[in-house]
């Protein structure tokens, strides 16, 4: 009985959400970046739970984000895929998972990030949407369609957050 109670005290308990989204299998240490990608500051009124560096059989460690009362857009999922390519998105309704899918980086990324090469035509005043080809997911490497610049994860994060 004492062992059972001690084990229960060591267990992290995060309440189930009634409606919303659970983002699971986020690359360890990236939950706060995912919140930033989603524009979540804590002042929106949604209940948000964050678990970081949680033990995972598949990944070793992972992060989890639960957002009550919000479902993600396709663009938000694509942005998450840039920093957490193994993440899964669970849509919750009435406490049940009604949809579950893994994020998928498209082969071509259009108009989500901009090229960091100041000489790239996408950084001129021309109405050209930035486009990148995925060379590698892990480690993340993208190639600009126009200038050929290779962008890695840190470059992508810089580009994502410069625009906000």
């Amino acid at each position: 009985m004492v062992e059972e109670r001690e084990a229960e005290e060591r267990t992290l308990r995060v309440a189930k959400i009634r409606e919303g989204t659970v983002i699971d299998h986020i690359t360890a240490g990236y939950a706060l970046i995912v919140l930033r990608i989603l524009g979540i500051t804590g002042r929106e009124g949604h209940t948000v739970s964050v678990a970081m560096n949680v033990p995972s059989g598949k990944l070793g460690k992972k992060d989890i984000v639960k957002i009550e009362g919000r479902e993600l857009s396709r663009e938000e999922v694509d942005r998450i895929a840039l920093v957490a390519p193994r993440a899964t998105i669970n849509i919750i309704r009435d406490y049940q998972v009604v949809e579950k899918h893994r994020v998928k980086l498209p082969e071509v990324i259009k108009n989500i990030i901009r090229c960091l090469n100041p000489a790239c035509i996408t950084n001129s005043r021309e109405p050209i949407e930035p486009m990148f080809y995925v060379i590698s997911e892990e480690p993340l490497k993208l190639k600009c369609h126009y200038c050929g610049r290779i962008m890695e994860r840190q470059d992508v994060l810089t580009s994502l957050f410069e625009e906000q």
Side-chain angles (χ1 to χ4, degrees), residues 94-136:
D94 198 26
Y95 298 103
Q96 300 297 316
V97 175
V98 295
E99 285 180 47
K100 181 176 186 164
H101 58 277
R102 186 175 165 200
V103 299
K104 174 87 173 98
L105 257 181
E107 290 178 21
V108 178
I109 296 169
K110 294 182 182 178
N111 216 23
I112 292 178
I113 57 169
R114 67 173 194 80
C115 186
L116 293 184
N117 176 358
C120 183
I121 193 167
T122 60
N123 291 315
S124 67
R125 295 184 182 217
E126 299 295 323
I128 297 173
E129 91 179 3
M131 184 165 63
F132 295 86
Y133 302 106
V134 176
I135 296 171
S136 166

Side-chain angles (χ1 to χ4, degrees), residues 2 10 14 18 48 55 58 67 71 80 83 85 87-88 94-96 107 125 128 133:
V2 172
R10 287 189 304 256
V14 178
R18 182 179 187 149
V48 178
K58 290 181 184 178
I67 310 160
E71 291 186 19
I80 290 168
V83 298
T88 55
D94 198 26
Y95 298 103
Q96 300 297 316
E107 290 178 21
R125 295 184 182 217
I128 297 173
Y133 302 106

